[in-house]
Amino acid sequence: MTNFKLTTDPLNVQDVIDAVRSPKAGAVNVFIGTVRDATDGKAVERLEYETYEPMALKKMEEIAGEIKQRWDVVEIAMHHRYGLLAIGDSAVVIAVSSPHRQTSFEACQYAIDTLKQVVPIWKKESFEDGDVWVMPHA
Amino acid sequence: MTITLRFFALGRELVGASELRYVFDHPTVTVSDVVQRLKSEYAVLEQLPSFLVAVNSEYGMNDTALYDGDELAIIPPVSGG
């Protein structure tokens, strides 16, 4: 069972869930980020993700460590795909297990929000008229 | 001392390489020393609206010291998820 993974293969949601399943948990919360077909009304043809893999894995583990300090959770797992993705593909799957459900919702939201801010992964959107690296915080 | 620079996404495309090696005569340099040399040799990096740096896979500051064999990554604004 791998809690933190970057892969060019299609993501398997069940693998991420299985990584956090526990007899101590009363809830498993799962977030799936998928490739949308448009940005600001412009049709997206495909996405390409690039990553700085050793740092990305380290940052994912750090986020999980922060979550465990802040909330009463049992396990956290994050799998992110990179390379070429098509519309509808899963780009990221995050699962959090916890004794009680409210914690799993809050911790899962923190995990995806923080991943988007600090984990070195980059997304390039391909439109009919060209490619653009997405820069949300530029 | 030798520093390996790593580039990703738009930074990689602007520099035209995913990796560069910089050799310095001094025993230590700081992040800002390396970034200044990089910007002077690759003015095209001005097209990056902003970037952070990472030293050996940890976010670094301008005054972070670099030693022989360190890896300095130029981190454009991230957009995972």
Side-chain angles (χ1 to χ4, degrees):
Chain A
M1 226 82 80
T2 312
N3 285 58
F4 308 101
K5 187 160 108 174
L6 291 153
T7 177
T8 54
D9 295 331
L11 299 181
N12 183 330
V13 176
Q14 193 61 48
D15 285 350
V16 188
I17 294 171
D18 289 344
V20 304
R21 272 186 184 282
S22 163
K24 294 191 183 69
V28 173
N29 198 287
V30 183
F31 173 82
I32 306 173
T34 58
V35 178
R36 192 177 44 228
D37 70 357
T39 291
D40 298 332
K42 267 179 88 178
V44 173
E45 295 184 340
R46 64 178 180 279
L47 282 191
E48 187 174 356
Y49 285 91
E50 182 171 333
T51 182
Y52 180 19
E53 185 161 352
M55 182 173 174
L57 287 172
K58 189 176 165 186
K59 288 288 147 197
M60 285 180 180
E61 287 176 29
E62 281 178 17
I63 293 169
E66 283 169 30
I67 288 171
K68 284 184 174 177
Q69 293 218 321
R70 204 162 144 184
W71 284 282
D72 180 20
V73 301
V74 181
E75 277 300 334
I76 299 147
M78 308 180 195
H79 291 190
H80 204 299
R81 193 172 166 193
Y82 66 99
L84 275 181
L85 275 72
I87 307 302
D89 282 350
S90 299
V92 60
V93 181
I94 297 176
V96 179
S97 60
S98 60
H100 303 288
R101 72 180 181 284
Q102 187 58 32
T103 314
S104 70
F105 279 105
E106 288 173 14
C108 195
Q109 169 137 29
Y110 179 85
I112 182 61
D113 289 350
T114 312
L115 179 147
K116 282 174 158 290
Q117 288 166 7
V118 306
V119 178
I121 297 171
W122 299 272
K123 174 165 49 187
K124 188 190 218 178
E125 291 178 328
S126 292
F127 302 99
E128 194 183 35
D129 58 353
D131 300 341
V132 179
W133 287 102
V134 178
M135 300 221 182
H137 305 296
Chain B
M1 63 176 295
T2 304
I3 302 295
T4 302
L5 286 106
R6 300 283 308 270
F7 303 96
F8 301 93
L10 183 57
R12 175 178 53 72
E13 290 182 355
L14 291 171
V15 169
S18 53
E19 201 172 302
L20 288 178
R21 292 267 155 82
Y22 272 8
V23 177
F24 294 91
D25 294 334
H26 337 286
T28 65
V29 292
T30 62
V31 163
S32 80
D33 294 332
V34 179
V35 168
Q36 274 177 29
R37 175 169 161 188
L38 179 69
K39 281 180 169 172
S40 70
E41 292 178 12
Y42 293 89
V44 70
L45 279 171
E46 285 169 12
Q47 291 177 40
L48 259 188
S50 68
F51 63 83
L52 297 175
V53 294
V55 177
N56 302 329
S57 292
E58 191 52 63
Y59 285 111
M61 312 286 281
N62 273 335
D63 59 359
T64 302
L66 299 171
Y67 301 92
D68 188 38
D70 279 353
E71 182 169 284
L72 176 71
I74 303 299
I75 309 285
V78 300
S79 52

